[in-house]
Amino acid sequence: MTEKVLLRDTQILSEDWGTLSRVTLDYQRDDGTVQRLSREVYDHGNAAAILLYNPESRSVLLVRQFRYPVMANGDPAFLLEVCAGLLDGDDPKNCAEREALEETGHAPSDVVHVCDAYMSPGSVTEKVSLFLGHYGAETYRSAGGGLVDEGEEIEVVELAFAAAFKMIGTGEITDAKTIVLLQHLALKLASQ
């Protein structure tokens, strides 16, 4: 299918935390006509995310942190989410484990890959590798809270899985990667 697309031009609009580019491409439609398209694309690298689950207490560890784009869209700026971060040259599993430790203070066990997903494929290149891992007293290493030098001030939130899952329907959890992982865990638990 990529033979239907011919990249004509790439112009970098901004290069800071990520790269914002405008691309011009020719797209061959199914009827054979060629349509010139212009798109803005944001690239700040790929990421990994992990949902921490305690099978004994049937609880999950989430984090709450400030998200300016959410505030700019008129919604509450402090989102409840799974741990996540950019790969920064790491492989996805190691990144997920690193982020869990930085953000929650837990070094997760039994980490398994769930899937890879594009959260906003119309304009963002980021692919997020999603994982599920276990936590408990034996995985605790520190209080977590994120990295101050990265501007993080993270609240660790432990919830019963059933309560967290209901928060999808009430709109209290609106982060896509968190919704995907909670849905995955619900399906997994239902099949046991």
Side-chain angles (χ1 to χ4, degrees):
M1 294 298 267
T2 56
E3 65 272 1
K4 293 180 63 143
V5 179
L6 178 62
L7 182 63
R8 290 291 186 186
D9 185 50
T10 300
Q11 178 185 4
I12 294 177
L13 303 176
S14 175
E15 214 168 8
D16 191 3
W17 189 49
T19 302
L20 178 63
S21 302
R22 178 181 295 121
V23 298
T24 303
L25 51 94
D26 288 342
Y27 178 80
Q28 183 177 0
R29 302 182 63 80
D30 288 341
D31 66 6
T33 61
V34 175
Q35 184 176 15
R36 173 87 24 112
L37 302 173
S38 177
R39 298 289 186 264
E40 289 183 2
V41 179
Y42 185 66
D43 181 2
H44 70 119
N46 292 327
I50 185 168
L51 174 62
L52 299 180
Y53 175 66
N54 185 319
E56 292 177 18
S57 63
R58 294 182 64 88
S59 58
V60 293
L61 271 188
L62 299 175
V63 295
R64 188 184 320 273
Q65 60 185 313
F66 173 73
R67 297 298 195 188
Y68 175 75
V70 176
M71 183 178 89
N73 201 37
D75 288 316
F78 288 84
L79 282 189
L80 198 53
E81 310 173 43
V82 293
C83 301
L86 296 176
L87 297 183
D88 293 331
D90 218 344
D91 71 79
K93 183 173 182 268
N94 286 339
C95 174
E97 292 169 341
R98 178 188 76 233
E99 291 296 329
L101 187 58
E102 287 175 8
E103 295 182 8
T104 70
H106 283 267
S109 63
D110 305 315
V111 175
V112 294
H113 181 253
V114 172
C115 66
D116 294 331
Y118 287 94
M119 296 293 144
S120 189
S123 59
V124 180
T125 62
E126 179 184 59
K127 179 172 61 174
V128 183
S129 297
L130 302 174
F131 294 86
L132 179 63
H134 291 161
Y135 79 96
E138 70 286 352
T139 65
Y140 182 80
R141 302 292 182 269
S142 71
L147 301 176
V148 173
D149 62 324
E150 291 185 6
E152 295 177 331
E153 185 175 50
I154 294 172
E155 174 190 0
V156 180
V157 179
E158 185 172 34
L159 296 166
F161 169 71
F165 189 74
K166 285 181 184 174
M167 293 171 91
I168 297 169
T170 63
E172 294 168 271
I173 291 179
T174 57
D175 173 66
K177 62 190 176 299
T178 305
I179 293 169
V180 169
L181 283 166
L182 288 170
Q183 293 278 1
H184 171 77
L185 182 56
L187 291 171
K188 182 177 175 171
L189 294 174
S191 69
Q192 292 180 346

